[in-house]
């Protein structure tokens, strides 16, 4: 039902964001082309994503939050894209596989943020005091806890929208393809 817009066919208000994304990545991702149908959603997601990237959480911790939400929500495009990003961050293949398979992580600090993100979603933010304390005990701060909420919001938006528009996997991400049953390819 949703079409892959170009900068010529997209609503005028989506075109700047589409061009900026294509310039940054070297191609226009199919999800962006489809989300361009709603300039507000596209711009909102890109702004929220950029805000999450600017948080005090380190890049691996941010990617763990994103992958926890992407796998939980079954967004194959998001899992592939962020598997590629993790590979670019030199994350170990074991870490990437565990995230894709929704398995506990060997790194206890990263596991703490993964669990905390999932608890926030499961309890609609009303996590138990001991769950917050467990997160904080791994060197995270109260600010980080709120930054995880920001990441959840940004990537819930992305995962739900990508699933709604049935966003296809771009050729560039095929080596990182993922199926709902887990990690199809690495």
């Amino acid at each position: 039902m949703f079409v892959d817009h170009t900068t010529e066919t997209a609503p005028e208000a989506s075109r700047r964001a589409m061009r900026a994304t294509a310039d940054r990545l070297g191609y226009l991702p199919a999800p962006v082309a489809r989300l361009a149908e709603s300039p507000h959603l596209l711009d909102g997601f890109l702004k929220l994503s950029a805000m999450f990237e600017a948080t005090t959480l380190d890049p691996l911790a941010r990617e763990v939050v994103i992958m926890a939400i992407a796998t939980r929500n079954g967004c194959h495009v998001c899992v592939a894209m962020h598997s590629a990003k993790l590979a670019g961050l030199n994350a170990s293949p074991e870490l990437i596989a565990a995230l894709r398979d929704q398995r506990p992580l060997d790194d206890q600090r990263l596991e703490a943020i993964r669990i905390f993100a999932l608890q926030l979603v499961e309890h609609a933010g009303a996590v138990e005091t001991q769950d917050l304390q467990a997160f904080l005990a791994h060197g995270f701060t109260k600010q980080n806890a709120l930054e995880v909420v920001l990441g959840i919001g940004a990537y819930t938006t992305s995962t739900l929208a990508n699933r709604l528009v049935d966003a296809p996997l771009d050729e560039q991400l095929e080596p990182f393809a993922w199926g709902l049953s887990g990690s199809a390819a690495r």
Side-chain angles (χ1 to χ4, degrees):
M1 282 185 96
F2 290 88
V3 300
D4 294 331
H5 281 290
T6 66
T7 53
E8 291 77 36
T9 66
E12 181 66 37
S14 290
R15 294 176 185 178
R16 189 185 82 237
M18 293 172 73
R19 283 188 208 99
T21 301
D23 289 347
R24 185 170 45 83
L25 297 177
Y27 71 101
L28 181 64
V32 171
R34 291 194 181 184
L35 298 183
E37 187 72 31
S38 170
H40 293 95
L41 181 122
L42 178 60
D43 194 45
F45 167 68
L46 293 174
K47 285 178 179 175
L48 281 173
S49 175
M51 290 170 65
F52 185 56
E53 289 295 312
T55 64
T56 62
L57 292 167
D58 64 86
L60 276 179
R62 289 191 306 264
E63 289 302 313
V64 168
V65 171
I66 294 166
M67 289 289 281
I69 299 307
T71 56
R72 180 196 179 280
N73 291 346
C75 181
H76 72 97
V77 170
C78 301
V79 172
M81 184 173 290
H82 290 280
S83 294
K85 188 161 183 182
L86 280 161
L89 290 171
N90 295 315
S92 72
E94 295 79 19
L95 173 65
I96 297 169
L99 286 166
R100 290 166 61 96
D101 294 340
Q102 299 174 296
R103 289 185 282 115
L105 308 179
D106 291 336
D107 181 311
Q108 293 305 301
R109 182 174 179 276
L110 295 178
E111 176 64 1
I113 198 168
R114 185 183 78 84
I115 293 297
F116 185 66
L118 294 172
Q119 289 170 332
L120 281 166
V121 173
E122 180 181 339
H123 300 290
V127 296
E128 299 290 330
T129 300
Q130 66 264 19
D131 294 332
L132 176 58
Q133 289 172 337
F135 173 72
L136 298 173
H138 284 87
F140 293 107
T141 66
K142 291 181 280 184
Q143 179 179 345
N144 294 149
L146 291 169
E147 292 169 344
V148 171
V149 173
L150 175 63
I152 291 168
Y155 286 92
T156 297
T157 298
S158 174
T159 58
L160 298 184
N162 284 327
R163 292 194 67 189
L164 175 65
V165 302
D166 196 23
L169 188 65
D170 292 304
E171 178 182 315
Q172 294 87 338
L173 296 175
E174 285 178 6
F176 300 96
W178 179 79
L180 290 179
S181 61
S183 51
R186 298 203 214 311

